[in-house]
Amino acid sequence: MSDLKNEKDVDSSSVASGTGTKYEFYDPSKESIWTRLGVNLESFKRAPGTTGGQVISGGNNVGDIEHVMADSPMLQQKMKPRHLQMIAVGGSIGTGLFVGSGSALRNGGPAGILIAWMIIGVMLINVTQALGEMSILYPVSGGFYTLAVRFLDPSFAFAMGWNYVFQWAVVLPLEITVAGTTVQYWGKDIMPLAGWITIFYLAIIIACIFGTLGYAEEEFWSSCLKLLVVVVFIFIGIVCIAGGGPEGGEYSSYVGGRNWSDPGAFANGFKGVCAVFVTAAFSFAGTELVGLAASETPNPRATMPAAVKGTFWRITIIYITSLTIIGLLLRYDEIRLLGGGSGADASPFVIALDKAKIKGLDHLVNVTICISVLSIGLSCVYAGSRTLTALAETGYAPKAFIYVDKSSRPLWSVLAILAFGPIAYANCASDGAGDVVFSWLLALSGLSTLFTWMSICMCHIRFRKAWVVQGHSVEELPYRALGGVYGSWLGVILIIVVLIAQFYIALWPIGGMSENPQEVAEGFFQAYLAFPIMIAFYVVGYAWKRTLPQRSYQIDLDTGRKSWLTVDEMREYRAERARAPLHVRIYRILFSN
């Protein structure tokens, strides 16, 4: 019992679908290393067997597909523990923190951004805990989308899945454009914006050639850089707040909390705090990717708990600490923040280092922003393509998207997401049309992450209910969410509060409502467009499949389940762990499984 391993033994050549049909498994280890890396022509060929697409696509075959795919996953398990942990800890650190926090400070003030990020952080801790519990027990292809099909309702899962795909598809050109404008921090005459967009778009395409491994390695090293830069900034910020900045800079004398007194802690009162919620949620977008990555990790039981617990430390150390320092160093009425830019010029990290007259570090931060943008662009392709493939597996997307090649790339799904990249060139238009296009793209993606997180919490609530109704004990679970089902309910409640706050801001924006009805309507839909789109997706999904949620006793709890230990075996396992030295137990509680 030293290791918690009790998975089903399955014949390596075939598996029954539940209807007597046999499906051949594909063993990628027999391929050459160049094919597995995805750098030769052979790697682009369809992988044979179930992985290659021998699934029953059609109307009501979700159960059959899950039975087949649970033991023969579409995607190879290439991710190592270090990849998963860094995806969880640093994967979503990007423009939301480095750049978006500037507009958040302008709208909410130093106290407003802390309140908003803390509330979103508490919500996210519960989301990741729930996701960890389910992903360890069911590391199925498609992650939380597949779990929503099973535990909630296929029609709702259809809406959530397509909403998630389009969220990442429209974020891709946004991130490519931000990368181009970030480079222009060093001079707009070096190269036209279209040139930089082309370079960054090609860089993402090249990284995608290496598939899962390319994404995982890029995320690991870029996350290391982002964490290093943020930690360095935190230490420098503390010194500057104490008055230890270089002579000639604005932080050569004690700063303390003077910016909380003048101009104040809140920029726009209660309305300002409400306005910051979506910015905070956007900065955490991508945290749920660990759920998608679970099926591409050899042993989720060993790696997922550490990844899930890493979310707490990221929120506490990276976000809360750095935002506290930003709020102490900068006034919310700082001129460069009021400019409302989207590139490095509007980054509070760059502005603070400029004010401190610390040479070179602003360039390091700008390089990090650039790499962060590329990292999130690659995450767009990874998350969007995996979800699109899962939609195709369950018959909710064209069958072509189940194509997976010998390097474990869902090839047509990857190409479908990459096809949205050229939209970035709209920003090169001289008549301002690009700004209009990107305003509506932001509207499409604004609330999408919240709907995904809500579905994860609702899945967990339904799973726990079915688990108990069908005679199981919570003690059987190999990993239990920290807050249990109450944590998921808290997550749902907080998400609803954020949606209400955004609705309030959409109707009564900061600065007052326009007297022009057209401007009022545009402002509302640019802030809340994702909600009616989600409803429209659900209506289409229900009209197409006519499915309703299953009762708790009807939910399938066995397909794809990787832990079959009894209560007594789990008690023995936990008793053995309880006998470990104190320092080992503390480390496990805080960081490990």
Side-chain angles (χ1 to χ4, degrees), residues 59 62 72 92 134 155 198 249 270 306 313 329 359 437 510 547 559 584:
V62 171
S72 178
S92 65
M134 294 185 293
S155 297
T198 302
F270 175 72
W313 297 112
L329 289 176
K359 296 181 179 179
V437 170
I510 291 176
T547 58
T559 299
V584 173

Side-chain angles (χ1 to χ4, degrees), residues 471-486:
H472 292 282
S473 170
V474 176
E475 290 188 79
E476 295 176 53
L477 298 175
Y479 180 83
R480 289 178 288 186
L482 183 64
V485 71
Y486 299 106

Side-chain angles (χ1 to χ4, degrees), residues 33-58:
I33 186 172
W34 306 112
T35 299
R36 296 198 301 273
L37 285 175
V39 294
N40 61 9
L41 293 177
E42 180 69 19
S43 68
F44 290 94
K45 293 182 179 179
R46 182 193 292 270
T50 303
T51 308
Q54 290 184 8
V55 296
I56 310 168
S57 63

Side-chain angles (χ1 to χ4, degrees), residues 66 126-127 129-135 137-138 140 142-154 156-158 160-161 450-468 477 481 484-485 487-489 491-492 495 534 549-550 552 555-557:
E66 284 189 350
N126 288 300
V127 170
Q129 287 287 322
L131 183 60
E133 178 177 301
M134 294 185 293
S135 297
L137 193 62
Y138 303 103
V140 293
F144 40 82
Y145 162 75
T146 305
L147 294 176
V149 172
R150 183 185 304 189
F151 297 130
L152 296 177
D153 169 40
F156 178 82
F158 169 88
M160 188 274 291
L450 294 172
F451 297 134
T452 300
W453 294 342
M454 180 182 286
S455 72
I456 291 170
C457 291
M458 292 168 61
C459 277
H460 186 238
I461 293 168
R462 289 276 290 157
F463 159 68
R464 280 290 189 97
K465 178 70 180 296
W467 190 256
V468 173
L477 298 175
V485 71
S488 292
W489 275 116
V492 170
I495 291 170
M534 182 73 177
Q550 290 183 312
S552 298
I555 292 175
D556 178 13
L557 294 176

Side-chain angles (χ1 to χ4, degrees), residues 74-421:
M74 292 279 284
L75 304 169
Q76 299 168 23
Q77 297 171 336
K78 292 185 175 183
M79 285 197 186
K80 296 178 175 62
R82 64 182 176 88
H83 294 144
L84 195 64
Q85 291 173 17
M86 292 309 290
I87 287 172
V89 174
S92 65
I93 297 176
T95 52
L97 175 64
F98 289 124
V99 180
S101 56
S103 63
L105 178 62
R106 182 181 71 240
N107 292 328
I113 60 173
L114 286 181
I115 292 171
W117 255 269
M118 284 180 180
I119 290 175
I120 297 293
V122 169
M123 175 187 71
L124 196 61
I125 288 171
N126 288 300
V127 170
T128 53
Q129 287 287 322
L131 183 60
E133 178 177 301
M134 294 185 293
S135 297
I136 289 168
L137 193 62
Y138 303 103
V140 293
S141 177
F144 40 82
Y145 162 75
T146 305
L147 294 176
V149 172
R150 183 185 304 189
F151 297 130
L152 296 177
D153 169 40
S155 297
F156 178 82
F158 169 88
M160 188 274 291
W162 275 108
N163 183 70
Y164 195 68
V165 169
F166 278 109
Q167 170 197 339
W168 289 113
V170 300
V171 168
L172 176 61
L174 289 172
E175 295 297 332
I176 293 173
T177 302
V178 172
T181 56
T182 300
V183 175
Q184 291 184 332
Y185 175 77
W186 290 294
K188 295 185 178 181
D189 299 329
I190 300 175
M191 183 185 295
L193 179 60
W196 290 117
I197 289 174
T198 302
I199 291 173
F200 289 122
Y201 185 42
L202 289 175
I204 291 174
I205 292 174
I206 292 170
C208 288
I209 292 175
F210 295 94
T212 299
L213 192 58
Y215 166 73
E217 285 294 339
E218 188 278 336
E219 281 296 292
F220 177 81
W221 293 109
S222 66
S223 294
C224 288
L225 174 63
K226 288 184 282 187
L227 290 172
L228 174 64
V229 169
V230 172
V231 170
V232 168
F233 177 81
I234 288 172
F235 281 109
I236 292 175
I238 292 172
V239 172
C240 288
I241 291 167
E247 291 294 331
E250 293 192 17
Y251 307 123
S252 58
S253 60
Y254 181 73
V255 177
R258 69 187 182 198
N259 290 330
W260 281 61
S261 301
D262 179 22
F266 295 94
N268 292 284
F270 175 72
K271 186 179 289 187
V273 176
C274 292
V276 176
F277 278 129
V278 172
T279 305
F282 179 78
S283 73
F284 286 119
T287 302
E288 71 285 344
L289 288 180
V290 293
L292 286 176
S295 64
E296 298 184 62
T297 306
N299 186 4
R301 173 64 189 93
T303 55
M304 279 293 288
V308 168
K309 291 175 182 178
T311 303
F312 171 79
W313 297 112
R314 182 184 66 195
I315 292 170
T316 303
I317 297 176
I318 303 302
Y319 282 92
I320 303 303
T321 305
S322 60
L323 290 171
T324 299
I325 289 173
I326 287 294
L328 291 170
L329 289 176
L330 296 178
R331 299 164 58 95
Y332 67 71
D333 58 359
E334 161 67 33
I335 295 175
R336 288 169 66 176
L337 292 178
L338 295 175
S342 59
D345 287 332
S347 168
F349 289 78
V350 173
I351 294 172
L353 292 171
D354 276 349
K355 283 178 167 291
K357 304 297 182 184
I358 301 176
K359 296 181 179 179
L361 280 180
D362 58 328
H363 299 297
L364 176 61
V365 172
N366 202 50
V367 169
T368 306
I369 293 173
C370 203
I371 293 175
S372 300
V373 169
L374 279 177
S375 171
I376 295 177
L378 200 54
S379 296
C380 294
V381 181
Y382 178 83
S385 63
R386 268 57 180 179
T387 307
L388 182 55
T389 300
L391 282 160
E393 289 174 31
T394 50
Y396 279 113
K399 188 178 179 180
F401 292 122
I402 63 176
Y403 186 106
V404 177
D405 64 24
K406 291 185 177 182
S407 185
S408 187
R409 290 170 298 219
L411 198 58
W412 295 116
S413 297
V414 169
L415 292 175
I417 303 301
L418 285 173
F420 283 80

